[in-house]
Amino acid sequence: MRGVIGAPPPPLPELAGDYGRVAVFGGAYNNWAAVTAVVADARRRGAEAVWFLGDVGGFGPLPDRTCEVLRELDLPVVQGNYDDSVGNDAHDCACGYTDPRDNHYAQISYDYTLAHTHRDHKRWLAAMPTEARIRVGGKTLHLCHGSPRRVNEFLWESTTPAGFVGHLCDQWEAHAILCTHTGIHWERRLTDGRGVINVGAVGRPANDGRREVWYALLDASTGRLDTTFVPVAYDWEAVVAAMRAEGLPEAFVETLATGWWTTCLEALPARERHHGRH
């Protein structure tokens, strides 16, 4: 961890891009249709680049299809815990869950993804960079999966206080930390404009009763860094049909069909859990 007393901090990655408008999304979860729709929407809105913050697999069907889509789009990427695990043939997803029910469903999706990912895609997943830094409007942004401290750390809106936001920005020398992993988009800005931006996940809805999925569009055209969370409709029925054909749990299907999470709920803090149906 950066800032540990008596230990020199690891070097930060070099800047990977300088933009005026950039789109960022995470958590593909084998949902190739959502990835395709999100990237097309971001490009229509003038994004100069579209960054993906990891977790290609998990939850959905046909993992090779999503790998192929992402590789054909040639997006810049940051590695998620799922990518590291699948790429290295690990025994589980290292998602960071502690509840047995969460882990039960996580293992089902992981075992399926691991068994159905081609070895060439596994090599690509294993080689992804673990972090990146870009500039938008002259402001430095640090891109990671869970947090800059740990790939599977959950940063939730209700449990990430302003003091911790400032600590992360100080330690990683960034105007903003961009992350995903939790599956629910949010941002917290300090009075000086620095902050944490969780870009959400596009592989499944944000537990909000909508079938659309969300990504973040960052724009510096006003002279400040503005974030817009954008909902995108996609062909969820095609993904649901593939899930059923692959024999994945009906609980996974229900989430895409209704917009409400049915699995991996126990990790949610009380406030975020209260906003859902289950």
Side-chain angles (χ1 to χ4, degrees):
M1 183 190 305
R2 292 180 62 82
V4 174
I5 295 175
L12 293 166
E14 295 182 2
L15 286 170
D18 198 340
Y19 313 107
R21 177 178 289 185
V22 65
V24 189
F25 72 99
Y29 305 155
N30 294 334
N31 192 332
W32 77 91
V35 169
T36 302
V38 162
V39 173
D41 185 86
R43 288 175 172 169
R44 280 195 300 268
R45 294 173 187 268
E48 299 162 40
V50 184
W51 277 80
F52 172 60
L53 300 189
D55 277 5
V56 177
F59 186 75
L62 308 176
D64 279 346
R65 186 173 296 182
T66 303
C67 289
E68 289 161 4
V69 166
L70 284 164
R71 297 181 75 175
E72 288 171 3
L73 289 168
D74 196 25
L75 304 183
V77 301
V78 168
Q79 186 183 67
N81 54 280
Y82 230 95
D83 312 314
D84 179 49
S85 289
V86 173
N88 291 289
D89 287 311
H91 296 297
D92 60 50
C93 63
C95 293
Y97 298 130
T98 58
D99 182 83
R101 186 177 188 273
D102 285 351
N103 280 316
H104 168 72
Y105 281 107
Q107 196 67 47
I108 290 173
S109 62
Y110 180 74
D111 289 345
Y112 169 83
T113 299
L114 183 65
H116 292 82
T117 301
H118 190 274
R119 61 180 179 275
D120 180 57
H121 294 317
K122 289 182 179 180
R123 286 192 290 267
W124 172 66
L125 295 168
M128 287 179 171
T130 58
E131 57 184 349
R133 289 168 77 77
I134 63 174
R135 279 204 184 102
V136 178
K139 295 177 171 61
T140 299
L141 312 181
H142 189 94
L143 278 56
C144 56
H145 182 72
S147 86
R149 306 193 311 172
R150 193 174 72 246
V151 66
N152 64 357
E153 182 170 18
F154 292 99
L155 296 186
W156 302 101
E157 183 175 14
S158 68
T159 59
T160 306
F164 185 57
V165 169
H167 167 76
L168 291 177
C169 293
D170 287 343
Q171 291 295 300
W172 274 267
E173 301 173 19
H175 183 78
I177 306 294
L178 272 66
C179 61
T180 176
H181 191 56
T182 68
I184 299 177
H185 55 283
W186 60 273
E187 74 170 330
R188 173 154 298 138
R189 296 291 188 95
L190 306 177
T191 56
D192 61 8
R194 297 183 303 157
V196 167
I197 302 168
N198 190 312
V199 302
V202 304
R204 64 176 183 169
N207 199 28
D208 55 5
R210 300 177 59 164
R211 296 189 184 102
E212 295 93 341
V213 294
W214 298 80
Y215 74 95
L217 187 66
L218 285 79
D219 187 358
S221 61
T222 63
R224 62 180 185 271
L225 184 67
D226 295 320
T227 305
T228 302
F229 291 114
V230 183
V232 178
Y234 71 98
D235 188 0
W236 61 270
E237 291 174 305
V239 182
V240 160
M243 292 169 84
R244 285 179 169 147
E246 291 294 293
L248 290 168
E250 194 66 21
F252 295 177
V253 170
E254 184 181 339
T255 292
L256 296 194
T258 66
W260 298 110
W261 292 5
T262 58
T263 63
C264 301
L265 287 163
E266 304 308 321
L268 287 167
R271 187 181 302 174
E272 282 80 1
R273 182 81 181 254
H274 177 73
H275 292 315
R277 174 183 287 179
H278 302 289

